[in-house]
């Protein structure tokens, strides 16, 4: 059974650890890595172990031509290393031929591989914490198309990575590309519900007042889990597409059609993995409002808002969207964090539990399935029935 906070000191029993634990932040993931480090340091202190930091200094400098390299600033021989990478952090830049270039997911993945190379095979074990899975939105081959995520996972396996921890993968069947690699696809369900209950104290999670609605058929599994854990009803939208045309690489959506019982007078919780342009989420919110929904709360593990925030500002001002919940697993702009309607879900402690458990070769099954923690949370907040 995985240790919980009450026995966190057992995580740092040196006789049981696989090896000395080390965190390496790939450029762009420093903020999340520091938060993970703070949890690990606190648990180490509670266990009577003095550690200054678990973070190993590293960097990925660039030459003026744009070529790069990975550097690790201290010894890692024999360590159990965890690389933390945010492939979605588009705020990171580098200079090339006198111009500033913003980093793409490809650049971040290349930096990860550079730092793995810099370890030079000296570690006892190497693992990757990659919340936003590289290339995962291209999850299937419909025409003559690349499968970047599958190839990337195979590359990491070939480079000696033993474990990959990701969150809410667009299609978890990606792991079929690397059947001999340990890949954990984790859902931050408990953390989202905890933040929702704290941010909206007057919410009532019972079938008469609350309902979960899936934004499309692809998101049904994650929405089914929420509805089952909360004991409330589930509705869904399905996307009617125009398969005679291709726009920006995909068939355009003609309409969102609703299936399910009445949402009139109920608070609605809509869960998806990514809010990209946000158009689909807003279409669904306006449709639910027309059907008489009371308050609509949107949740996306990765709230990236590629088309900006103006449309959501208007939807919030018009009373269509009551709030958006998103994690700190990828880059969020300062403008987004300042929005009244945005509620950040901190998942760093969850990752720290994963790191500590893996470092001791403990089972992570209880961490992956947080059903008991959700049940306890609902009892504490008076939501249990």
């Amino acid at each position: 059974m995985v240790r919980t906070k009450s026995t966190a000191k057992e995580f740092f029993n040196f006789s049981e650890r696989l090896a000395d634990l080390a965190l390496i932040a790939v450029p762009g993931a420093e903020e999340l890595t520091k938060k993970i480090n703070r949890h690990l340091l606190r648990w180490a202190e509670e266990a009577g172990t003095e550690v200054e930091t678990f973070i190993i200094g590293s960097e990925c400098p660039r030459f003026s031509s744009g070529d790069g390299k990975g550097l690790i600033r201290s010894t890692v021989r024999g360590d159990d290393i965890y690389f933390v990478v945010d492939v979605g952090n588009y705020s990171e830049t580098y200079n090339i031929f006198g111009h500033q270039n913003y980093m793409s997911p490809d650049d971040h993945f290349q930096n990860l591989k550079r730092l793995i190379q810099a370890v030079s095979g000296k570690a006892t074990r190497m693992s990757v914490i990659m919340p936003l899975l590289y290339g995962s939105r291209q999850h299937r081959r419909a025409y003559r198309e690349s499968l970047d995520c599958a190839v990337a996972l195979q590359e990491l396996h070939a480079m000696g990575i033993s474990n990959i921890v990701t969150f809410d993968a667009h299609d978890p069947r990606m792991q079929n590309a690397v059947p001999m690699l340990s890949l954990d696809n984790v859902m931050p369900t408990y953390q989202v519900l905890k933040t929702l209950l704290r941010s909206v104290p007057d919410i009532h999670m019972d079938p008469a007042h609350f309902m979960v609605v899936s934004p499309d058929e692809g998101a049904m599994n994650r929405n089914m889990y929420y509805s089952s854990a909360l004991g409330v009803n589930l509705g869904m939208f399905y996307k009617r597409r125009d398969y005679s045309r291709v726009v920006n690489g995909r068939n355009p959506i003609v309409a969102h059609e609703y299936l399910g019982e009445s949402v009139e007078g109920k608070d609605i919780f809509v869960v998806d993995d990514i809010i990209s342009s946000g158009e689909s989420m807003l279409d669904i919110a306006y449709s639910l409002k027309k059907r008489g929904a009371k308050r609509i709360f949107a949740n996306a593990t990765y709230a990236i808002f590629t088309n900006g925030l103006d449309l959501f500002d208007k939807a919030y001002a018009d009373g269509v969207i009551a709030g958006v919940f998103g994690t700190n697993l990828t880059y969020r702009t300062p403008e987004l964090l300042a929005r009244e309607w945005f509620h950040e879900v901190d998942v760093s402690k969850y990752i720290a539990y994963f790191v500590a458990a893996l470092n001791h070769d403990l089972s992570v099954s209880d961490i992956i399935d947080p059903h008991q923690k959700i049940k306890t949370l609902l009892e504490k907040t008076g939501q249990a029935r």
Side-chain angles (χ1 to χ4, degrees):
M1 182 175 178
V2 174
R3 276 75 159 179
T4 59
K5 183 179 179 181
S6 60
T7 57
K9 63 182 180 180
E10 295 181 33
F11 277 135
F12 293 91
N13 185 329
F14 278 84
S15 64
E16 295 182 2
R17 292 199 302 171
L18 173 74
D20 287 344
L21 192 159
L23 300 174
I24 293 181
V26 179
E30 293 88 352
E31 177 189 355
L32 181 58
T33 307
K34 288 176 181 177
K35 288 186 176 183
I36 297 168
N37 184 55
R38 282 199 291 268
H39 291 297
L40 295 172
L41 288 175
R42 188 179 75 252
W43 297 338
E45 183 180 1
E46 291 172 359
T49 303
E50 287 192 19
V51 181
E52 184 177 343
T53 183
F54 289 104
I55 298 176
I56 298 292
S58 63
E59 60 179 303
C60 292
R62 297 269 181 165
F63 299 99
S64 58
S65 61
D67 295 312
K69 62 180 178 179
L71 296 174
I72 295 177
R73 295 298 186 184
S74 63
T75 179
V76 292
R77 187 179 294 274
D79 287 349
D80 183 21
I81 299 178
Y82 296 83
F83 298 92
V84 185
V85 57
D86 178 13
V87 299
N89 190 342
Y90 59 90
S91 70
E92 289 290 305
T93 62
Y94 62 90
N95 290 322
I96 177 170
F97 290 95
H99 300 284
Q100 190 177 63
N101 193 44
Y102 285 88
M103 292 183 66
S104 70
D106 295 342
D107 293 313
H108 288 293
F109 186 67
Q110 194 65 26
N111 277 345
L112 169 63
K113 292 193 292 181
R114 289 180 175 120
L115 290 173
I116 293 172
Q117 293 175 61
V119 171
S120 304
K122 301 299 192 298
T124 293
R125 186 175 64 184
M126 297 185 294
S127 303
V128 170
I129 310 294
M130 185 188 292
L132 181 57
L133 192 60
Y134 172 76
S136 60
R137 298 191 74 185
Q138 175 53 24
H139 62 288
R140 62 184 177 183
R141 176 176 283 161
Y143 307 101
R144 287 178 292 276
E145 300 175 332
S146 64
L147 291 173
D148 293 28
C149 184
V151 172
L153 293 175
Q154 291 172 354
E155 279 189 274
L156 294 177
H157 191 204
M159 295 181 78
I161 296 300
S162 300
N163 304 291
I164 296 178
V165 178
T166 190
F167 280 79
D168 200 355
H170 192 66
D171 190 333
R173 289 174 295 183
M174 285 294 182
Q175 61 190 295
N176 292 343
V178 281
M180 301 304 292
L181 174 65
S182 171
L183 192 153
D184 291 304
N185 178 43
V186 191
M187 303 297 290
T189 313
Y190 170 75
Q191 288 72 21
V192 170
L193 289 176
K194 186 176 180 179
T195 305
L196 175 62
L197 289 167
R198 184 172 61 243
S199 304
V200 191
D202 64 337
I203 202 165
H204 297 287
M205 293 181 175
D206 62 79
H209 302 93
F210 189 82
M211 190 171 170
V212 176
V213 173
S214 176
D216 55 40
E217 58 273 28
M220 275 298 289
N221 283 342
R222 61 178 65 88
N223 283 273
M224 284 174 61
Y225 187 89
Y226 277 99
S227 66
S228 298
L230 298 174
V232 298
N233 294 324
L234 173 69
M236 73 163 286
F237 282 85
Y238 71 90
K239 296 174 180 177
R240 189 152 53 86
R241 295 182 180 271
D242 180 0
Y243 288 98
S244 66
R245 298 185 297 133
V246 176
V247 179
N248 294 328
R250 61 182 185 176
N251 303 107
I253 298 169
V254 176
H256 289 90
E257 305 288 355
Y258 177 69
L259 297 172
E261 67 174 34
S262 173
V263 299
E264 188 171 357
K266 297 179 181 178
D267 288 334
I268 308 298
F269 193 49
V270 184
V271 184
D272 211 348
D273 58 340
I274 294 176
I275 292 179
S276 184
S277 67
E279 292 176 1
S280 293
M281 186 66 77
L282 288 175
D283 285 347
I284 288 166
Y286 279 101
S287 179
L288 289 169
K289 229 15 178 174
K290 288 179 182 178
R291 288 174 165 82
K294 183 182 176 183
R295 293 180 296 185
I296 300 165
F297 301 97
N299 167 237
T301 306
Y302 305 103
I304 57 180
F305 293 97
T306 58
N307 287 12
L309 307 172
D310 293 345
L311 292 177
F312 276 81
D313 287 339
K314 184 179 186 305
Y316 178 68
D318 293 343
V320 176
I321 290 282
V324 176
F325 293 79
T327 71
N328 62 341
L329 292 171
T330 192
Y331 174 70
R332 295 91 54 228
T333 64
E335 292 77 18
L336 174 62
L337 295 174
R339 290 303 198 269
E340 183 180 13
W341 46 263
F342 182 72
H343 306 276
E344 182 170 279
V345 179
D346 185 7
V347 193
S348 60
K349 186 177 181 181
Y350 199 9
I351 298 174
Y353 273 125
F354 246 98
V355 170
L358 290 173
N359 183 237
H360 286 71
D361 275 339
L362 297 174
S363 170
V364 296
S365 57
D366 288 352
I367 301 176
I368 293 174
D369 182 8
H371 185 74
Q372 185 56 48
K373 293 185 72 176
I374 292 173
K375 182 180 178 181
T376 302
L377 173 67
L378 296 177
E379 291 173 351
K380 285 183 178 179
T381 54
Q383 299 288 342
R385 290 179 291 108

